[in-house]
Amino acid sequence: MLKERGNIRYIRKSKDAIDWIHSWKSTLLLLLEDVPFHLRQLIASISIDGTSATTIIIDSTTGEPLWRPFLYNESCSDALPKVKSIAPENHTVCAGSSTLCKLVSWWNVYDPNKDSAALLHQADWLLWLLHGNLGVTDYNNALKVGYDPELDSYPPWLLSQPYSKLLPSVKAPGSPIGFLKEDVRTQYGFPKDCVVCTGTTDSIAAFLAARAIQPGKAVTSLGSTLAIKLLSTSRIEDARYGVYSHRLDDKWLVGGASNTGGAVLRQIFTDEQLQNLSEQINPMKTSPLDYYPLPTVGERFPMADPKMAPRLHPRPESDVEYLHGILESIARIEAKAYGLLKDLGATQVEEVFTAGGGAKNVKWTKIRKRVLGLPVSRAIQTEAAYGAALLALKGAQQCVQ
Ligand code: ADP
């Protein structure tokens, strides 16, 4: 069983007007209620994926939040100088939106009850409602608070800080934490041995959903932006391109995101036009048009250049040719992105699965196959919720071993 991203995300209206904690909790309970009666006794395990860096400071005895949650995209740049002074250069915590910046920002302004405070991520807190053991997270969610997944511990520079006592203990994603709390179990009719397992972040859960489980398999997300994730035997970190790695058992999930993608397409064409024009493209023909499609100025990966201007001219008379040129240019950026990961030392990409709104475009897939020189197909499952269910399965399998 799993978290339904859409339900939780789109309740949002404005950051401060919403009672996030209440809406997340009630959505979780509604989802439990949604499980058909005849299936409830068959639920062996539960896991949840949550938005990375969405942070909740709670009372460590009651689990009740001491502060409104810090949302994933909130920047606590007031804490940046302090965080930069303790963390290694270019560490992933050195961004205003990192979990560690949120913790330090809270620590610096909030006085009472510090002794009984604890930090949880969104997924951890929701899972706690189900298992009741406070202070557990997974190493994917913990990355942005500074956890070192290679050492499998918090680093000394973090442990020496007074607020390190707020940090949760860390397990691998999909590890059993405990049985479903009795009150929840009896209220909804789940079995006695239903186990609750650690989760992961939304984007990792979406990768897991595609079941790209061997090194060299990758997922390109063609949503508003172009994001790539490659399963690699080596860990790559390069803050210059925003490339960092999440641990996945004994492998690494190396990722980066370009500002190109569907947002530019939407600035020029409607989704209906995209579909109709694409049908007329001959994907075997190389387009002579060389663009760098960006929605606004600035690119981060595979070239970091905050001043890079969008290049979408010359525009031919034919819209089919124009779209062909744009799709092919985005495919070249994708190829360059995988090339960069290889140059940085990642496992060479062998096969690409596609997720996001652009995945349904068959002609684009053919263009990308030609430009990447690789097998490219649409991922069968792309919902993060499916990835969380696979983690729950992993946890259930550990219980029967
Ligand atoms: P996100 O979740 O990042 O907002 P989605 O995965 O929902 O994005 O995908 C939406 C994007 O898909 C839009 O930016 C749109 O331009 C693009 N898109 C929609 N239809 C097509 C199509 N037929 N071909 C290519 N791209 C498309």
Side-chain angles (χ1 to χ4, degrees), residues 321-367:
E321 278 175 36
Y322 193 37
L323 179 62
H324 188 168
I326 296 172
L327 296 181
E328 187 141 346
S329 299
I330 296 177
R332 279 194 290 268
I333 296 168
E334 184 183 357
K336 199 162 178 185
Y338 282 116
L340 176 68
L341 293 190
K342 180 173 174 263
D343 292 346
L344 294 174
T347 301
Q348 169 131 24
V349 58
E350 284 172 7
E351 183 174 8
V352 177
F353 299 100
T354 318
K360 61 173 171 277
N361 190 321
V362 182
K363 295 291 176 76
W364 199 5
T365 304
K366 286 189 176 154
I367 292 172

mmCIF file of all heavy atoms in Angstrom, residues 321-367:
data_model
loop_
_atom_site.group_PDB
_atom_site.id
_atom_site.type_symbol
_atom_site.label_atom_id
_atom_site.label_comp_id
_atom_site.label_asym_id
_atom_site.label_seq_id
_atom_site.Cartn_x
_atom_site.Cartn_y
_atom_site.Cartn_z
ATOM 1 N N GLU A 321 8.304 20.466 -39.451
ATOM 2 C CA GLU A 321 9.778 20.544 -39.452
ATOM 3 C C GLU A 321 10.285 21.203 -38.168
ATOM 4 O O GLU A 321 11.314 20.808 -37.617
ATOM 5 C CB GLU A 321 10.268 21.362 -40.648
ATOM 6 C CG GLU A 321 10.344 20.559 -41.925
ATOM 7 C CD GLU A 321 10.720 21.442 -43.111
ATOM 8 O OE1 GLU A 321 11.522 22.374 -42.944
ATOM 9 O OE2 GLU A 321 10.172 21.190 -44.196
ATOM 10 N N TYR A 322 9.545 22.246 -37.727
ATOM 11 C CA TYR A 322 9.965 22.958 -36.498
ATOM 12 C C TYR A 322 9.956 21.999 -35.307
ATOM 13 O O TYR A 322 10.942 21.889 -34.570
ATOM 14 C CB TYR A 322 9.022 24.145 -36.265
ATOM 15 C CG TYR A 322 9.519 25.140 -35.232
ATOM 16 C CD1 TYR A 322 10.871 25.447 -35.118
ATOM 17 C CD2 TYR A 322 8.625 25.786 -34.376
ATOM 18 C CE1 TYR A 322 11.327 26.370 -34.179
ATOM 19 C CE2 TYR A 322 9.071 26.717 -33.436
ATOM 20 C CZ TYR A 322 10.428 26.996 -33.339
ATOM 21 O OH TYR A 322 10.882 27.911 -32.413
ATOM 22 N N LEU A 323 8.836 21.298 -35.148
ATOM 23 C CA LEU A 323 8.734 20.365 -34.015
ATOM 24 C C LEU A 323 9.795 19.267 -34.134
ATOM 25 O O LEU A 323 10.429 18.895 -33.135
ATOM 26 C CB LEU A 323 7.320 19.748 -33.953
ATOM 27 C CG LEU A 323 7.118 18.744 -32.826
ATOM 28 C CD1 LEU A 323 7.315 19.396 -31.455
ATOM 29 C CD2 LEU A 323 5.717 18.120 -32.879
ATOM 30 N N HIS A 324 9.993 18.764 -35.362
ATOM 31 C CA HIS A 324 11.014 17.733 -35.578
ATOM 32 C C HIS A 324 12.379 18.246 -35.081
ATOM 33 O O HIS A 324 13.097 17.547 -34.351
ATOM 34 C CB HIS A 324 11.063 17.392 -37.080
ATOM 35 C CG HIS A 324 11.939 16.226 -37.414
ATOM 36 N ND1 HIS A 324 11.929 15.623 -38.633
ATOM 37 C CD2 HIS A 324 12.873 15.553 -36.688
ATOM 38 C CE1 HIS A 324 12.805 14.612 -38.642
ATOM 39 N NE2 HIS A 324 13.389 14.562 -37.473
ATOM 40 N N GLY A 325 12.695 19.494 -35.446
ATOM 41 C CA GLY A 325 13.982 20.078 -35.034
ATOM 42 C C GLY A 325 14.086 20.194 -33.515
ATOM 43 O O GLY A 325 15.135 19.926 -32.927
ATOM 44 N N ILE A 326 12.976 20.593 -32.883
ATOM 45 C CA ILE A 326 13.010 20.759 -31.415
ATOM 46 C C ILE A 326 13.167 19.394 -30.737
ATOM 47 O O ILE A 326 14.008 19.219 -29.839
ATOM 48 C CB ILE A 326 11.728 21.480 -30.915
ATOM 49 C CG1 ILE A 326 11.667 22.902 -31.480
ATOM 50 C CG2 ILE A 326 11.703 21.520 -29.396
ATOM 51 C CD1 ILE A 326 10.351 23.625 -31.198
ATOM 52 N N LEU A 327 12.360 18.410 -31.183
ATOM 53 C CA LEU A 327 12.426 17.084 -30.550
ATOM 54 C C LEU A 327 13.818 16.475 -30.727
ATOM 55 O O LEU A 327 14.372 15.870 -29.814
ATOM 56 C CB LEU A 327 11.352 16.152 -31.136
ATOM 57 C CG LEU A 327 9.890 16.556 -30.880
ATOM 58 C CD1 LEU A 327 8.942 15.525 -31.493
ATOM 59 C CD2 LEU A 327 9.588 16.706 -29.383
ATOM 60 N N GLU A 328 14.372 16.660 -31.919
ATOM 61 C CA GLU A 328 15.694 16.083 -32.182
ATOM 62 C C GLU A 328 16.775 16.813 -31.358
ATOM 63 O O GLU A 328 17.713 16.186 -30.859
ATOM 64 C CB GLU A 328 16.005 16.148 -33.681
ATOM 65 C CG GLU A 328 17.270 15.416 -34.017
ATOM 66 C CD GLU A 328 17.198 14.643 -35.343
ATOM 67 O OE1 GLU A 328 16.091 14.445 -35.890
ATOM 68 O OE2 GLU A 328 18.262 14.234 -35.816
ATOM 69 N N SER A 329 16.618 18.120 -31.181
ATOM 70 C CA SER A 329 17.592 18.876 -30.378
ATOM 71 C C SER A 329 17.530 18.434 -28.918
ATOM 72 O O SER A 329 18.567 18.310 -28.259
ATOM 73 C CB SER A 329 17.319 20.379 -30.482
ATOM 74 O OG SER A 329 17.454 20.794 -31.828
ATOM 75 N N ILE A 330 16.318 18.196 -28.416
ATOM 76 C CA ILE A 330 16.198 17.716 -27.027
ATOM 77 C C ILE A 330 16.847 16.327 -26.906
ATOM 78 O O ILE A 330 17.520 16.025 -25.920
ATOM 79 C CB ILE A 330 14.718 17.704 -26.558
ATOM 80 C CG1 ILE A 330 14.154 19.133 -26.537
ATOM 81 C CG2 ILE A 330 14.596 17.077 -25.172
ATOM 82 C CD1 ILE A 330 12.676 19.256 -26.162
ATOM 83 N N ALA A 331 16.659 15.506 -27.951
ATOM 84 C CA ALA A 331 17.286 14.169 -27.938
ATOM 85 C C ALA A 331 18.809 14.290 -27.901
ATOM 86 O O ALA A 331 19.487 13.501 -27.233
ATOM 87 C CB ALA A 331 16.845 13.372 -29.168
ATOM 88 N N ARG A 332 19.360 15.282 -28.602
ATOM 89 C CA ARG A 332 20.821 15.464 -28.584
ATOM 90 C C ARG A 332 21.294 15.883 -27.190
ATOM 91 O O ARG A 332 22.359 15.465 -26.727
ATOM 92 C CB ARG A 332 21.235 16.511 -29.634
ATOM 93 C CG ARG A 332 21.309 15.932 -31.046
ATOM 94 C CD ARG A 332 22.048 16.869 -31.990
ATOM 95 N NE ARG A 332 21.277 18.071 -32.276
ATOM 96 C CZ ARG A 332 20.441 18.212 -33.311
ATOM 97 N NH1 ARG A 332 20.303 17.231 -34.174
ATOM 98 N NH2 ARG A 332 19.766 19.317 -33.498
ATOM 99 N N ILE A 333 20.473 16.706 -26.511
ATOM 100 C CA ILE A 333 20.834 17.108 -25.135
ATOM 101 C C ILE A 333 20.810 15.866 -24.226
ATOM 102 O O ILE A 333 21.686 15.674 -23.383
ATOM 103 C CB ILE A 333 19.866 18.212 -24.622
ATOM 104 C CG1 ILE A 333 20.025 19.475 -25.468
ATOM 105 C CG2 ILE A 333 20.118 18.509 -23.146
ATOM 106 C CD1 ILE A 333 18.949 20.528 -25.254
ATOM 107 N N GLU A 334 19.812 15.015 -24.442
ATOM 108 C CA GLU A 334 19.717 13.779 -23.653
ATOM 109 C C GLU A 334 20.971 12.912 -23.871
ATOM 110 O O GLU A 334 21.558 12.391 -22.916
ATOM 111 C CB GLU A 334 18.441 13.006 -24.061
ATOM 112 C CG GLU A 334 18.188 11.766 -23.241
ATOM 113 C CD GLU A 334 16.954 11.000 -23.745
ATOM 114 O OE1 GLU A 334 16.281 11.461 -24.688
ATOM 115 O OE2 GLU A 334 16.687 9.916 -23.183
ATOM 116 N N ALA A 335 21.385 12.793 -25.156
ATOM 117 C CA ALA A 335 22.573 11.982 -25.472
ATOM 118 C C ALA A 335 23.803 12.581 -24.800
ATOM 119 O O ALA A 335 24.647 11.860 -24.248
ATOM 120 C CB ALA A 335 22.765 11.917 -26.984
ATOM 121 N N LYS A 336 23.893 13.902 -24.827
ATOM 122 C CA LYS A 336 25.027 14.572 -24.212
ATOM 123 C C LYS A 336 25.025 14.337 -22.689
ATOM 124 O O LYS A 336 26.081 14.165 -22.064
ATOM 125 C CB LYS A 336 24.924 16.069 -24.508
ATOM 126 C CG LYS A 336 26.202 16.776 -24.325
ATOM 127 C CD LYS A 336 26.183 18.111 -25.037
ATOM 128 C CE LYS A 336 27.521 18.769 -24.742
ATOM 129 N NZ LYS A 336 27.680 20.072 -25.210
ATOM 130 N N ALA A 337 23.819 14.323 -22.105
ATOM 131 C CA ALA A 337 23.693 14.109 -20.656
ATOM 132 C C ALA A 337 24.209 12.714 -20.277
ATOM 133 O O ALA A 337 24.982 12.564 -19.323
ATOM 134 C CB ALA A 337 22.235 14.284 -20.231
ATOM 135 N N TYR A 338 23.792 11.685 -21.032
ATOM 136 C CA TYR A 338 24.293 10.336 -20.729
ATOM 137 C C TYR A 338 25.806 10.262 -20.976
ATOM 138 O O TYR A 338 26.533 9.586 -20.239
ATOM 139 C CB TYR A 338 23.546 9.278 -21.550
ATOM 140 C CG TYR A 338 22.174 8.977 -20.977
ATOM 141 C CD1 TYR A 338 21.009 9.263 -21.686
ATOM 142 C CD2 TYR A 338 22.046 8.424 -19.708
ATOM 143 C CE1 TYR A 338 19.749 9.000 -21.152
ATOM 144 C CE2 TYR A 338 20.796 8.160 -19.159
ATOM 145 C CZ TYR A 338 19.659 8.447 -19.888
ATOM 146 O OH TYR A 338 18.423 8.187 -19.335
ATOM 147 N N GLY A 339 26.272 10.980 -22.015
ATOM 148 C CA GLY A 339 27.715 11.006 -22.296
ATOM 149 C C GLY A 339 28.481 11.625 -21.128
ATOM 150 O O GLY A 339 29.538 11.134 -20.735
ATOM 151 N N LEU A 340 27.917 12.694 -20.550
ATOM 152 C CA LEU A 340 28.588 13.352 -19.424
ATOM 153 C C LEU A 340 28.677 12.404 -18.225
ATOM 154 O O LEU A 340 29.718 12.305 -17.581
ATOM 155 C CB LEU A 340 27.843 14.639 -19.033
ATOM 156 C CG LEU A 340 28.414 15.340 -17.805
ATOM 157 C CD1 LEU A 340 29.800 15.931 -18.083
ATOM 158 C CD2 LEU A 340 27.482 16.447 -17.312
ATOM 159 N N LEU A 341 27.578 11.701 -17.946
ATOM 160 C CA LEU A 341 27.618 10.770 -16.802
ATOM 161 C C LEU A 341 28.726 9.738 -17.007
ATOM 162 O O LEU A 341 29.437 9.375 -16.073
ATOM 163 C CB LEU A 341 26.261 10.075 -16.601
ATOM 164 C CG LEU A 341 25.091 10.956 -16.155
ATOM 165 C CD1 LEU A 341 23.903 10.091 -15.768
ATOM 166 C CD2 LEU A 341 25.467 11.871 -14.993
ATOM 167 N N LYS A 342 28.858 9.272 -18.244
ATOM 168 C CA LYS A 342 29.926 8.299 -18.535
ATOM 169 C C LYS A 342 31.301 8.949 -18.311
ATOM 170 O O LYS A 342 32.173 8.360 -17.672
ATOM 171 C CB LYS A 342 29.792 7.809 -19.979
ATOM 172 C CG LYS A 342 30.855 6.803 -20.336
ATOM 173 C CD LYS A 342 30.622 6.192 -21.704
ATOM 174 C CE LYS A 342 31.808 5.314 -22.065
ATOM 175 N NZ LYS A 342 32.770 6.006 -22.925
ATOM 176 N N ASP A 343 31.472 10.183 -18.831
ATOM 177 C CA ASP A 343 32.757 10.875 -18.657
ATOM 178 C C ASP A 343 33.083 11.085 -17.180
ATOM 179 O O ASP A 343 34.243 11.115 -16.789
ATOM 180 C CB ASP A 343 32.738 12.247 -19.354
ATOM 181 C CG ASP A 343 32.673 12.104 -20.864
ATOM 182 O OD1 ASP A 343 32.906 10.983 -21.364
ATOM 183 O OD2 ASP A 343 32.367 13.104 -21.547
ATOM 184 N N LEU A 344 32.038 11.253 -16.363
ATOM 185 C CA LEU A 344 32.274 11.466 -14.929
ATOM 186 C C LEU A 344 32.542 10.141 -14.204
ATOM 187 O O LEU A 344 32.820 10.137 -13.012
ATOM 188 C CB LEU A 344 31.068 12.178 -14.286
ATOM 189 C CG LEU A 344 30.785 13.618 -14.746
ATOM 190 C CD1 LEU A 344 29.493 14.145 -14.137
ATOM 191 C CD2 LEU A 344 31.944 14.549 -14.379
ATOM 192 N N GLY A 345 32.403 9.028 -14.932
ATOM 193 C CA GLY A 345 32.780 7.737 -14.334
ATOM 194 C C GLY A 345 31.632 6.790 -14.048
ATOM 195 O O GLY A 345 31.829 5.741 -13.409
ATOM 196 N N ALA A 346 30.427 7.118 -14.502
ATOM 197 C CA ALA A 346 29.285 6.221 -14.251
ATOM 198 C C ALA A 346 29.319 5.029 -15.219
ATOM 199 O O ALA A 346 29.973 5.084 -16.268
ATOM 200 C CB ALA A 346 27.979 6.988 -14.434
ATOM 201 N N THR A 347 28.598 3.981 -14.872
ATOM 202 C CA THR A 347 28.433 2.836 -15.765
ATOM 203 C C THR A 347 27.829 3.320 -17.089
ATOM 204 O O THR A 347 26.927 4.162 -17.092
ATOM 205 C CB THR A 347 27.459 1.815 -15.113
ATOM 206 O OG1 THR A 347 28.014 1.420 -13.861
ATOM 207 C CG2 THR A 347 27.239 0.593 -15.986
ATOM 208 N N GLN A 348 28.324 2.768 -18.195
ATOM 209 C CA GLN A 348 27.803 3.176 -19.510
ATOM 210 C C GLN A 348 26.329 2.775 -19.661
ATOM 211 O O GLN A 348 25.959 1.642 -19.329
ATOM 212 C CB GLN A 348 28.628 2.508 -20.606
ATOM 213 C CG GLN A 348 28.029 2.640 -21.972
ATOM 214 C CD GLN A 348 29.025 3.110 -23.008
ATOM 215 O OE1 GLN A 348 30.231 2.926 -22.853
ATOM 216 N NE2 GLN A 348 28.525 3.735 -24.050
ATOM 217 N N VAL A 349 25.526 3.691 -20.172
ATOM 218 C CA VAL A 349 24.102 3.404 -20.355
ATOM 219 C C VAL A 349 23.896 2.372 -21.467
ATOM 220 O O VAL A 349 24.563 2.416 -22.507
ATOM 221 C CB VAL A 349 23.306 4.708 -20.634
ATOM 222 C CG1 VAL A 349 23.819 5.425 -21.854
ATOM 223 C CG2 VAL A 349 21.820 4.445 -20.767
ATOM 224 N N GLU A 350 22.990 1.415 -21.223
ATOM 225 C CA GLU A 350 22.726 0.364 -22.208
ATOM 226 C C GLU A 350 21.300 0.390 -22.733
ATOM 227 O O GLU A 350 21.014 -0.052 -23.834
ATOM 228 C CB GLU A 350 22.943 -1.016 -21.567
ATOM 229 C CG GLU A 350 24.404 -1.358 -21.420
ATOM 230 C CD GLU A 350 24.588 -2.623 -20.611
ATOM 231 O OE1 GLU A 350 23.577 -3.288 -20.281
ATOM 232 O OE2 GLU A 350 25.747 -2.930 -20.299
ATOM 233 N N GLU A 351 20.390 0.835 -21.888
ATOM 234 C CA GLU A 351 18.975 0.851 -22.289
ATOM 235 C C GLU A 351 18.254 1.963 -21.540
ATOM 236 O O GLU A 351 18.525 2.188 -20.351
ATOM 237 C CB GLU A 351 18.327 -0.501 -21.949
ATOM 238 C CG GLU A 351 16.881 -0.558 -22.404
ATOM 239 C CD GLU A 351 16.241 -1.934 -22.224
ATOM 240 O OE1 GLU A 351 16.857 -2.818 -21.604
ATOM 241 O OE2 GLU A 351 15.105 -2.089 -22.698
ATOM 242 N N VAL A 352 17.345 2.634 -22.238
ATOM 243 C CA VAL A 352 16.647 3.762 -21.627
ATOM 244 C C VAL A 352 15.138 3.510 -21.601
ATOM 245 O O VAL A 352 14.535 3.198 -22.635
ATOM 246 C CB VAL A 352 16.939 5.074 -22.409
ATOM 247 C CG1 VAL A 352 16.154 6.237 -21.838
ATOM 248 C CG2 VAL A 352 18.437 5.387 -22.396
ATOM 249 N N PHE A 353 14.554 3.620 -20.425
ATOM 250 C CA PHE A 353 13.092 3.599 -20.296
ATOM 251 C C PHE A 353 12.628 5.046 -20.172
ATOM 252 O O PHE A 353 13.353 5.879 -19.641
ATOM 253 C CB PHE A 353 12.672 2.795 -19.068
ATOM 254 C CG PHE A 353 13.119 1.358 -19.127
ATOM 255 C CD1 PHE A 353 14.248 0.938 -18.431
ATOM 256 C CD2 PHE A 353 12.443 0.431 -19.905
ATOM 257 C CE1 PHE A 353 14.684 -0.383 -18.502
ATOM 258 C CE2 PHE A 353 12.863 -0.886 -19.983
ATOM 259 C CZ PHE A 353 13.991 -1.296 -19.278
ATOM 260 N N THR A 354 11.445 5.323 -20.656
ATOM 261 C CA THR A 354 10.973 6.707 -20.645
ATOM 262 C C THR A 354 9.721 6.851 -19.800
ATOM 263 O O THR A 354 8.805 6.025 -19.877
ATOM 264 C CB THR A 354 10.665 7.187 -22.084
ATOM 265 O OG1 THR A 354 11.698 6.723 -22.940
ATOM 266 C CG2 THR A 354 10.591 8.692 -22.154
ATOM 267 N N ALA A 355 9.707 7.937 -19.006
ATOM 268 C CA ALA A 355 8.528 8.269 -18.201
ATOM 269 C C ALA A 355 8.119 9.705 -18.514
ATOM 270 O O ALA A 355 8.831 10.408 -19.231
ATOM 271 C CB ALA A 355 8.884 8.129 -16.726
ATOM 272 N N GLY A 356 6.980 10.147 -17.993
ATOM 273 C CA GLY A 356 6.547 11.537 -18.175
ATOM 274 C C GLY A 356 5.708 11.726 -19.436
ATOM 275 O O GLY A 356 5.568 10.810 -20.258
ATOM 276 N N GLY A 357 5.183 12.944 -19.587
ATOM 277 C CA GLY A 357 4.257 13.257 -20.676
ATOM 278 C C GLY A 357 4.814 12.995 -22.068
ATOM 279 O O GLY A 357 4.061 12.664 -22.988
ATOM 280 N N GLY A 358 6.133 13.134 -22.246
ATOM 281 C CA GLY A 358 6.737 12.931 -23.564
ATOM 282 C C GLY A 358 6.888 11.458 -23.930
ATOM 283 O O GLY A 358 7.175 11.137 -25.091
ATOM 284 N N ALA A 359 6.684 10.567 -22.957
ATOM 285 C CA ALA A 359 6.910 9.130 -23.208
ATOM 286 C C ALA A 359 5.906 8.550 -24.194
ATOM 287 O O ALA A 359 6.173 7.551 -24.864
ATOM 288 C CB ALA A 359 6.851 8.364 -21.886
ATOM 289 N N LYS A 360 4.746 9.227 -24.296
ATOM 290 C CA LYS A 360 3.707 8.662 -25.177
ATOM 291 C C LYS A 360 3.957 8.999 -26.649
ATOM 292 O O LYS A 360 3.280 8.480 -27.537
ATOM 293 C CB LYS A 360 2.317 9.145 -24.750
ATOM 294 C CG LYS A 360 2.132 10.648 -24.804
ATOM 295 C CD LYS A 360 0.671 10.981 -24.528
ATOM 296 C CE LYS A 360 0.433 12.455 -24.354
ATOM 297 N NZ LYS A 360 0.703 12.966 -23.014
ATOM 298 N N ASN A 361 4.932 9.859 -26.912
ATOM 299 C CA ASN A 361 5.196 10.291 -28.289
ATOM 300 C C ASN A 361 6.078 9.250 -29.002
ATOM 301 O O ASN A 361 7.295 9.193 -28.818
ATOM 302 C CB ASN A 361 5.881 11.661 -28.275
ATOM 303 C CG ASN A 361 5.955 12.258 -29.658
ATOM 304 O OD1 ASN A 361 6.188 11.555 -30.630
ATOM 305 N ND2 ASN A 361 5.744 13.561 -29.740
ATOM 306 N N VAL A 362 5.427 8.423 -29.827
ATOM 307 C CA VAL A 362 6.107 7.300 -30.475
ATOM 308 C C VAL A 362 7.191 7.781 -31.438
ATOM 309 O O VAL A 362 8.278 7.207 -31.541
ATOM 310 C CB VAL A 362 5.056 6.452 -31.253
ATOM 311 C CG1 VAL A 362 5.699 5.251 -31.916
ATOM 312 C CG2 VAL A 362 3.950 6.003 -30.303
ATOM 313 N N LYS A 363 6.904 8.885 -32.162
ATOM 314 C CA LYS A 363 7.882 9.402 -33.124
ATOM 315 C C LYS A 363 9.123 9.929 -32.388
ATOM 316 O O LYS A 363 10.247 9.730 -32.831
ATOM 317 C CB LYS A 363 7.260 10.525 -33.968
ATOM 318 C CG LYS A 363 6.125 10.054 -34.861
ATOM 319 C CD LYS A 363 6.644 9.171 -35.983
ATOM 320 C CE LYS A 363 5.562 8.598 -36.846
ATOM 321 N NZ LYS A 363 4.966 9.501 -37.801
ATOM 322 N N TRP A 364 8.891 10.593 -31.277
ATOM 323 C CA TRP A 364 10.021 11.108 -30.489
ATOM 324 C C TRP A 364 10.867 9.943 -29.982
ATOM 325 O O TRP A 364 12.104 9.998 -30.013
ATOM 326 C CB TRP A 364 9.497 11.967 -29.326
ATOM 327 C CG TRP A 364 10.511 12.890 -28.721
ATOM 328 C CD1 TRP A 364 11.791 13.103 -29.161
ATOM 329 C CD2 TRP A 364 10.330 13.740 -27.581
ATOM 330 N NE1 TRP A 364 12.417 14.038 -28.364
ATOM 331 C CE2 TRP A 364 11.544 14.445 -27.391
ATOM 332 C CE3 TRP A 364 9.267 13.992 -26.710
ATOM 333 C CZ2 TRP A 364 11.721 15.370 -26.358
ATOM 334 C CZ3 TRP A 364 9.442 14.912 -25.685
ATOM 335 C CH2 TRP A 364 10.650 15.594 -25.514
ATOM 336 N N THR A 365 10.201 8.884 -29.556
ATOM 337 C CA THR A 365 10.943 7.701 -29.086
ATOM 338 C C THR A 365 11.849 7.179 -30.202
ATOM 339 O O THR A 365 13.008 6.823 -29.963
ATOM 340 C CB THR A 365 9.956 6.597 -28.633
ATOM 341 O OG1 THR A 365 9.107 7.153 -27.642
ATOM 342 C CG2 THR A 365 10.675 5.391 -28.061
ATOM 343 N N LYS A 366 11.322 7.158 -31.428
ATOM 344 C CA LYS A 366 12.135 6.661 -32.560
ATOM 345 C C LYS A 366 13.319 7.605 -32.828
ATOM 346 O O LYS A 366 14.421 7.148 -33.122
ATOM 347 C CB LYS A 366 11.265 6.519 -33.814
ATOM 348 C CG LYS A 366 10.349 5.313 -33.701
ATOM 349 C CD LYS A 366 9.634 5.027 -34.989
ATOM 350 C CE LYS A 366 8.806 3.746 -34.819
ATOM 351 N NZ LYS A 366 7.662 3.693 -35.712
ATOM 352 N N ILE A 367 13.054 8.912 -32.761
ATOM 353 C CA ILE A 367 14.143 9.885 -32.948
ATOM 354 C C ILE A 367 15.217 9.654 -31.881
ATOM 355 O O ILE A 367 16.421 9.613 -32.167
ATOM 356 C CB ILE A 367 13.603 11.341 -32.850
ATOM 357 C CG1 ILE A 367 12.686 11.649 -34.040
ATOM 358 C CG2 ILE A 367 14.750 12.353 -32.771
ATOM 359 C CD1 ILE A 367 11.945 12.981 -33.932
#
